[in-house]
Each structure stands twice: as structure tokens, then as C-alpha cells.
Amino acid sequence: MMLPDMFLQLVLQMGASMTTPTLGSLVTVVKGWLFAGRHTLTGVLVAIGGSGSKHHSAYYRLFAAARWRLDALGLALFQLIVPLLKSGPVPLTLDDTLARKHGLKVFGAGMHHDPLASSRHYAVTSWGHSWVVLAVRVQLPCIPGRFFSLPILFRLYLNQKAAVRWRMAYRTRPELAVELLERLCRSCPERHFHAYADSAYGGQSVLAYLPANCDLTSRLPLDARLYAPPPEHRPGTRGRPRKRGERLPSPQQMLEQQQARRLTLQLHGRQDKVRLVEAVAHWYSVPHRPLKVVAVEPLTGGRPVQAFYSTATDDSAEQVLGGYAGRWSIEEAFQGSKSHLGFEEPQGWSRQAVRRTAPLAMLLYSLTVLWFAKEGHSLYKPPFRSWYRHKVRPSFADMLTTLRYACLQAAISANPHGKQGRQNLLLLLPGSLKTVA
């Protein structure tokens, strides 16, 4: 199996910090990962037809023992994404996701909240890994009007029992999120970033420790205690300077007491009429930081009353709401990585293997979208579906199918007279690609 030249160059640039033998093993694993039926290392080796010139254990050592850093790959990938970014702050998306696992000896595994199995009235926990993920949000020139979150940095969260079992200091998800933001912001001090996260990462534990070159937009409790800026401390006044000014209405009270604007918002692919109130205030938890507070009462659509904030106080209410709505793209990245690239399937159990193997699926998600933006969109042919005629934009599954087809073309071009080789290649492909081929 061969990778298209453009995709191969992206993989090589992402892994430039690796040694030559390690990078060669990574390229081989990537080839198999794109076509593997089950995304374990054994399944990857089966997909490429064996281990080639290396012993099969070399590919297990790539994740369990080789000397390379996952953060280095993510930061190199960020530099590849930079040409797709528009001027202004770099939009980031921050969230966590669950990878279900089996086995008591798997490093870092524990019981975590399972959002897919839970309901509003019944919480379900599942055994597995909880990953905190930082992604760069982009809009592709070839797919206008749609956001893509491209994962670049990862941290494995261990609950308190798992931290004690593996003799590690317990760190909360917000603490890991701050570490990810600091890692990226420190690597590019000349750039300004803007992170979008849900309420789990919108509290004091993240807001109070944001890097200097990073803003944050998140949810705000409807009963949040808001204050005016503290008055200027006059010389000779007794006591310490005040941290907070006068008490202001909470977001819920803002909607009840103040005159609200009525407007129509186009968010999440639909139009909603809302009542909206905005103000600049200081939150009790972090009194030193002014926030743009936006309280929203939907008039259509059945959504509840919500409140949001942004540390970028110059942003309009529409920018705050639109930016937060784009956060949903990271959920699509999680779904694509799990459904099509086997994020939950690797079976490594040692410390290094666990921390490195699963994130490769999300890095490949980012590489696939990046390749499609650079080259793949010119190869894409929308499939005809009589029951789905209104589809006009490619999904991630379409991007991955286009990449697999490009791999097939590259392999056939390298061996144009090998009929048996072409038949072997076709055996690796899903039904849709066999029809195209």
C-alpha cells in the first residue's frame, strides 16, 4: 500500500522530530491504520500484509518504548494547519471524551461518566479512558460554512482511584486543560488564541490561570454573582483595596429587569428567535478579569435560558454566541475518530503505549481533513444517493474514502501490470471503494 505524495509529506513533516527508523515505522503504521478493519496493531499489520522488512515487535515498540514525544507531533501538526487560519486570534476547541476499554490492568483505566449511555435523569458510568483534547478550529476553503476541529494535543485523565493505583498525583480535567493551553501558547508566543469550551472548563480553575495570550468563551451559571469594577483606591483610605465593585444583576435577573434585544440567530444550522441582554461585568470567582456576559432567552426552538461569557470584552454578543456554537465541531471530530479510525480500539496496556496509541487516531483525523483541504477536494466525487439528493458538502467519511481511493491509485500506478497485486488491494477496501475502483 502506498500513500499519496501530499499525504506522505504531511506525515513526514508532522513526525520530523522522530529518528529516521522511528518515522519509517510510523509511516508503515499509518498505511495500515487507514485500511485496518480493526484498529489494533495486529489489525494494522494484517492490513498492510505483514511487517515488511522489520520484525513485528518493532511496531509495538514504536508506541511502548521508542523515544518521541506526542506533544512534538501535535505542535508540528499545528504549524501545518496555520495556512488554513484566518487573521486574528486562533480559535481553539477544548473538551474531553470517553474511550471505553476492557481489562483491569490497562494503565489509567477507571470509571467515568458515559454521556452517550446517560440521560437527563439517569447517569451511567463506564470503564475506560477519559481524554482531554485540544483542537484547532478551521474553516476549509473547499467547504464554506462549516467548522472542523482538528485535534493536536492530548492528556489522559486519571480519576482519584486510578491515580492512587498507579502512584501518580491526581490532576483534574481543568488542570490538564490549562496545561494543554499553556503548552500551545508557550510554543507560539507571537500568536493570540481564543479557546471555546463548555461549562466543565469555564470555571475558576481554568479562567484564573489562562495564558496571557489566550482568551476563553464558555457557559456561565444563570445565578452567577456579577460585580462592577472595583473603585479606585484613594491614598490615605483605611483598609486594603477593594477587589469588587457594586453588585450587579445575575444573568437571570438581567433578562427579567433589563430591556432585551430581539434578533434571529443562525446557529447549529437553524434559525432561532431570541431575547438577548449583554453587559461587561466581573465574576465573583475571578474578580480581576472583566467578562462580556451574554444572557439569552430563546423564543423558538425549545431551548432553555442560557448565559455565556467571553474574556474578549470587545466581541459582540453575536460573536460570542457564534463562536461558542462552533464548539460542536469537536464532537464531530470525536465521532469521526471513533467510528472511522478506531480511537477506542487499540489494546495497549502499558503506560507509554496507552498514552500514544489512541491519540494517533485523532492525529490521523486532522491529517485527513488537512489533506482534503490541500489536495483531496479536487479528487472528490459526490456519490449519487436517490434518497439523499440534498447533500452538497462532504463528510469526514467522504474525505477518508477519497484518501483511500487516492492510496489505491498510487499503488496501482506503482505496479500497473500486476493484476494479482490489484486484486489484493481491492480486498482491503470497503464496498463503496470497490465499486469506484
Side-chain angles (χ1 to χ4, degrees), residues 230-248:
E232 183 178 356
H233 184 71
R234 297 179 180 179
T237 305
R238 288 186 174 184
R240 63 173 177 80
R242 292 183 60 180
K243 292 185 177 179
R244 303 171 184 86
E246 296 181 358
R247 180 75 180 266
L248 298 177

Side-chain angles (χ1 to χ4, degrees), residues 20 31 37 43 117 128 159 192 211 271 279 303 344 371 399 419 423:
T20 301
K31 293 177 184 177
N159 62 22
H192 194 83
Q271 291 185 351
R303 298 181 185 273
E344 296 180 301
W371 171 83
M399 296 179 182
K419 181 177 180 181
Q423 294 298 324

Side-chain angles (χ1 to χ4, degrees), residues 391-409:
K391 178 177 178 179
V392 295
R393 297 186 298 190
S395 64
F396 175 73
D398 296 324
M399 296 179 182
L400 185 59
T401 299
T402 305
L403 176 58
R404 288 170 173 167
Y405 181 51
C407 293
L408 173 65
Q409 288 182 315

Side-chain angles (χ1 to χ4, degrees), residues 220-282:
L220 188 69
L222 289 173
D223 59 350
R225 290 182 289 174
L226 303 179
Y227 294 83
E232 183 178 356
H233 184 71
R234 297 179 180 179
T237 305
R238 288 186 174 184
R240 63 173 177 80
R242 292 183 60 180
K243 292 185 177 179
R244 303 171 184 86
E246 296 181 358
R247 180 75 180 266
L248 298 177
S250 67
Q252 182 70 56
Q253 293 170 338
M254 290 167 59
L255 286 170
E256 296 172 355
Q257 301 174 5
Q258 300 180 19
Q259 185 174 2
R261 286 195 293 147
R262 292 174 180 259
L263 68 159
T264 301
L265 298 175
Q266 294 197 13
L267 303 175
H268 303 290
R270 69 185 203 181
Q271 291 185 351
D272 285 336
K273 294 181 179 180
V274 301
R275 291 180 65 246
L276 181 149
V277 178
E278 55 184 302
V280 176
H282 294 249

Side-chain angles (χ1 to χ4, degrees), residues 100-155:
R100 299 175 188 83
K101 293 291 178 181
H102 301 280
L104 298 178
K105 295 185 178 181
V106 178
F107 169 77
M111 297 300 292
H112 301 283
H113 175 70
D114 191 335
L116 297 182
S118 302
S119 66
R120 293 183 179 181
H121 306 290
Y122 186 73
V124 177
T125 58
S126 296
W127 181 262
H129 289 143
S130 179
W131 290 93
V132 181
V133 181
L134 182 65
V136 181
R137 198 178 70 193
V138 299
Q139 284 186 294
L140 306 186
C142 57
I143 312 178
R146 180 180 174 185
F147 292 111
F148 286 89
S149 285
L150 308 184
I152 58 171
L153 294 176
F154 314 87
R155 289 293 183 271

Side-chain angles (χ1 to χ4, degrees), residues 39-290:
H39 294 86
T40 62
L41 282 182
T42 300
V44 167
L45 295 179
V46 169
I48 59 176
S51 58
S53 59
K54 293 185 178 182
H55 192 271
H56 64 271
S57 62
Y59 301 102
Y60 288 88
R61 290 196 300 271
L62 170 66
F63 297 100
R67 299 182 63 180
W68 57 276
R69 298 182 63 84
L70 185 64
D71 282 0
L73 267 63
L75 295 177
L77 179 57
F78 172 73
Q79 295 301 326
L80 298 176
I81 297 172
V82 166
L84 295 178
L85 299 175
K86 298 180 180 180
S87 59
V90 177
L92 305 175
T93 315
L94 182 64
D95 206 349
D96 58 83
T97 187
L98 174 68
R100 299 175 188 83
K101 293 291 178 181
H102 301 280
L104 298 178
K105 295 185 178 181
V106 178
F107 169 77
M111 297 300 292
H112 301 283
H113 175 70
D114 191 335
L116 297 182
S118 302
S119 66
R120 293 183 179 181
H121 306 290
Y122 186 73
V124 177
T125 58
S126 296
W127 181 262
H129 289 143
S130 179
W131 290 93
V132 181
V133 181
L134 182 65
V136 181
R137 198 178 70 193
V138 299
Q139 284 186 294
L140 306 186
C142 57
I143 312 178
R146 180 180 174 185
F147 292 111
F148 286 89
S149 285
L150 308 184
I152 58 171
L153 294 176
F154 314 87
R155 289 293 183 271
L156 179 64
Y157 166 73
L158 277 68
N159 62 22
Q160 294 184 356
K161 290 184 178 180
V164 171
R165 179 182 181 186
W166 295 98
R167 300 179 182 179
M168 298 180 63
Y170 172 71
R171 303 181 66 194
T172 65
R173 291 186 182 92
E175 289 175 338
L176 296 177
V178 171
E179 181 181 337
L180 293 177
L181 290 173
E182 289 178 342
R183 186 73 180 91
L184 179 59
C185 295
R186 189 170 59 247
S187 68
C188 302
E190 74 285 356
R191 288 189 169 273
H192 194 83
F193 299 88
H194 194 137
Y196 298 87
D198 61 13
S199 56
Y201 301 95
Q204 176 184 0
S205 53
V206 175
L207 183 58
Y209 301 98
L210 281 177
N213 58 334
C214 185
D215 283 309
L216 176 66
T217 294
S218 185
R219 295 277 296 274
L220 188 69
L222 289 173
D223 59 350
R225 290 182 289 174
L226 303 179
Y227 294 83
E232 183 178 356
H233 184 71
R234 297 179 180 179
T237 305
R238 288 186 174 184
R240 63 173 177 80
R242 292 183 60 180
K243 292 185 177 179
R244 303 171 184 86
E246 296 181 358
R247 180 75 180 266
L248 298 177
S250 67
Q252 182 70 56
Q253 293 170 338
M254 290 167 59
L255 286 170
E256 296 172 355
Q257 301 174 5
Q258 300 180 19
Q259 185 174 2
R261 286 195 293 147
R262 292 174 180 259
L263 68 159
T264 301
L265 298 175
Q266 294 197 13
L267 303 175
H268 303 290
R270 69 185 203 181
Q271 291 185 351
D272 285 336
K273 294 181 179 180
V274 301
R275 291 180 65 246
L276 181 149
V277 178
E278 55 184 302
V280 176
H282 294 249
W283 196 5
Y284 182 88
S285 303
V286 190
H288 66 278
R289 191 137 198 179

Side-chain angles (χ1 to χ4, degrees), residues 328 374 387 430:
W328 182 254
K374 290 178 175 291
W387 59 89

